[in-house]
Structures are given as structure tokens and as C-alpha cells.
Amino acid sequence: LRDWDGKPFATPPLFYNAVDDFTADVLTQVSNEVCIIRDAIKVRYPMVGMDGVKHVEEWMRTTYAGQMGDEKNLQTCISTNQGYQGLKHPVVNVPGGCTIDFKHRYYTENVPGLLSIRSTGEMLGIPTPNTDKVILWCQEKMGKTYLSGGKVAGARLVFFGRGGSVQLAFFWCCLRILGLALLSITSSSIQTSA
């Protein structure tokens, strides 16, 4: 869709089967950023299980083992995945065909996930330029403003010396409390056993 001129399609375009090298590269770059954030959380909060956070290509190979016709790289893993065969972009009908429905849940539910990645990176001091590019592209298509002036737009508060969304501040607060509780339990058990 990066080169789509906005003109109606005769039929809905394929979604996953049409993933090209450019799209796979973007997914890889965003996933690399997620893994850097994951690793930083593991260092800062070792008690938090982050084993389920995997690189997208590793996740594809594990989740869809035996269901991909070609596992050479991420692009082929996605485009030859049996579970994705024939799935089409969500569209709205317009005179002359159909156009992409940027109000569909594929966008409205996934962009907030990207914002969570981006905000977590921001709070940890980790830049997410590739995630930002995807959010900026999506917000233009969706007619929304999620990033403005290099920051997440909307309700914000300062937390741990960095800005972050209210929801993520709550998440970080829970992590902090969990960490303190685990330290307290560990200290108590060490004192009891001594």
C-alpha cells in the first residue's frame, strides 16, 4: 500500500500474501526495536517474564511451524503461510470498486499496540524510529494524530523522569510495585532462613 494512489481497486487486494520485501523489512525493523525494549526491561526488571516476547520471524517460525511453504525469510514465511492464504485487506465499497478501510480494527486495534511499544521505548530512553514511521503512516491514513512533534499525543504524565501515556505509566507502576514486593518477599525469606 505504500505506493497506492488512492484510486479504487476492482477487488479487495490480498493482505498477507502480498507482503513484499519492503514490508517484511519494516516488520523486521519494528520487531528489532521491540526486542531491544524487551532486553532493557529484562535488565531493569529481571523478575518480569519477557520470554514470550520474540522477534517476529522467530514467532512466525514457532507459531506456524509446518504451515509455511517457504521459510527462507520473513517475507516468505508470511506470504506462504497456509493460515493467511487468501485473506484480503478490509475495504469499503466506493463508486468504481473499493478502497482500503483505514477505520477497520486491523488499524484501530494495532496502532495502539505500536504506541505502547513506542511509549515504553521512550520511557526507557530507547528510540523507536521505525515504529514511529509506521505510526506516522497509519495516522495519516486514519485521519488521527498519535505522534506530534516527536512525542505521543494525548493524555500524558511524567513518570520515572520520562513522559509516557497514562496506561503505560500504570503498567510501569505495577512493574515497580511487583519488583518491590518480590524484593520484600526475598529479603524476608533470607532473614527468616538466616
Side-chain angles (χ1 to χ4, degrees), residues 98-187:
C98 57
T99 61
I100 303 301
D101 181 3
F102 289 106
K103 293 182 181 175
H104 189 271
R105 70 178 186 84
Y106 283 5
Y107 298 95
T108 62
E109 292 177 9
N110 288 310
V111 172
L114 292 172
L115 290 166
S116 295
I117 293 164
R118 203 270 184 212
S119 293
T120 303
E122 183 178 330
M123 286 189 282
L124 292 169
I126 298 168
T128 55
N130 298 296
T131 302
D132 288 3
K133 287 177 194 174
V134 174
I135 293 169
L136 290 168
W137 185 88
C138 289
Q139 77 180 24
E140 177 193 338
K141 302 297 182 191
M142 296 169 71
K144 303 278 186 186
T145 303
Y146 297 111
L147 287 181
S148 179
K151 298 285 183 189
V152 176
R156 301 177 51 72
L157 54 88
V158 175
F159 197 73
F160 293 154
R162 303 199 187 279
S165 69
V166 173
Q167 296 87 349
L168 281 168
F170 177 75
F171 166 75
W172 281 107
C173 185
C174 290
L175 275 181
R176 186 81 174 207
I177 291 167
L178 174 65
L180 292 172
L182 288 173
L183 286 174
S184 174
I185 291 167
T186 305
S187 296

